[in-house]
Amino acid sequence: MAILRIFKHGESVLKKVSRPVDCGAIRGELPKLLKDMWATMESVRGVGLAAPQVGINLRLSVVDVRPEGKSKRLVLINPEILSREGSVFEEEGCLSVPGLYAKIQRFARVRLRALDEHGEPYEMDGEGLLARAFQHEVDHLDGRLFIDHLAFAERLKLMPLLKDLRRTWQ
Ligand code: NI
């Protein structure tokens, strides 16, 4: 088990559209990659971590929003959002943009389809933090960060802060 380096805002791997996982082709490597992703996410108390955040452009994320304070690990392989409803405007953050939180608009409820760690398909309804995590993770796999949802004026205001953040990890 290894703690992986988390790639940060400004690194190109986060901007790429990740390619679908071929579960058969990576069956050998998948258990170790997932173990490392869980360890990495939990070492920094995250609620979600996408493969591009550890430098791998595959459509794979791990999520644990700890419903009722207890761990509930979800593996999202090739996730797709099937339906979206309502809207919320809540503060969000990301392990790839450390220390920065901002309110963005998300759908309040979504239905997700994905494959689990065994390559078995499942569907799940999410609301609250889970709905936001699903949208946040699918965004990562499409090369988007939560700050890309900010209005232009908001982003301009954050620009100096983002530049400072970048300096601290280079
Ligand atoms: Ni994130």
Side-chain angles (χ1 to χ4, degrees), residues 23-94:
C23 285
I26 68 158
R27 200 170 32 220
E29 298 104 278
L30 190 60
K32 169 153 173 43
L33 175 60
L34 286 173
K35 231 182 242 176
D36 291 348
M37 286 176 69
W38 284 121
T40 303
M41 189 188 88
E42 285 164 4
S43 75
V44 286
R45 299 169 171 274
V47 296
L49 183 71
Q53 291 181 279
V54 293
I56 301 168
N57 277 125
L58 282 178
R59 302 189 77 81
L60 161 66
S61 287
V62 296
V63 167
D64 188 350
V65 299
R66 304 184 60 81
E68 287 141 28
K70 275 186 283 191
S71 175
K72 189 179 179 208
R73 287 174 160 195
L74 297 171
V75 171
L76 280 55
I77 295 175
N78 301 337
E80 273 176 88
I81 291 174
L82 301 177
S83 62
R84 312 158 164 82
E85 258 182 33
S87 89
V88 287
F89 189 63
E90 303 263 13
E91 193 160 83
E92 217 164 284
C94 178

Side-chain angles (χ1 to χ4, degrees), residues 108-110 125-132 134:
R109 289 172 297 282
V110 299
D125 291 312
E127 60 174 69
L129 183 55
L130 185 59
R132 296 223 307 284
F134 284 165

Side-chain angles (χ1 to χ4, degrees), residues 53 93-95 136-137 140:
Q53 291 181 279
C94 178
L95 298 173
H136 184 114
E137 294 310 315
H140 270 304

Side-chain angles (χ1 to χ4, degrees), residues 6-18 48-55 57 61 90-106 132-151 154-155 158 162-163 165-166 169:
I6 296 179
F7 286 62
K8 305 294 193 311
H9 163 68
E11 297 193 85
S12 63
V13 69
L14 295 172
K15 300 297 263 180
K16 291 185 184 139
V17 176
S18 291
L49 183 71
Q53 291 181 279
V54 293
N57 277 125
S61 287
E90 303 263 13
E91 193 160 83
E92 217 164 284
C94 178
L95 298 173
S96 293
V97 194
L100 196 146
Y101 298 87
K103 281 195 167 187
I104 63 160
Q105 191 113 29
R106 292 284 193 192
R132 296 223 307 284
F134 284 165
Q135 293 167 81
H136 184 114
E137 294 310 315
V138 172
D139 271 357
H140 270 304
L141 307 181
D142 288 330
R144 270 195 307 269
L145 295 176
F146 80 99
I147 48 177
D148 297 328
H149 287 274
L150 293 169
E154 280 292 307
R155 234 184 354 235
L158 291 174
L162 284 170
K163 280 208 184 106
L165 276 179
R166 212 189 276 199
W169 60 66

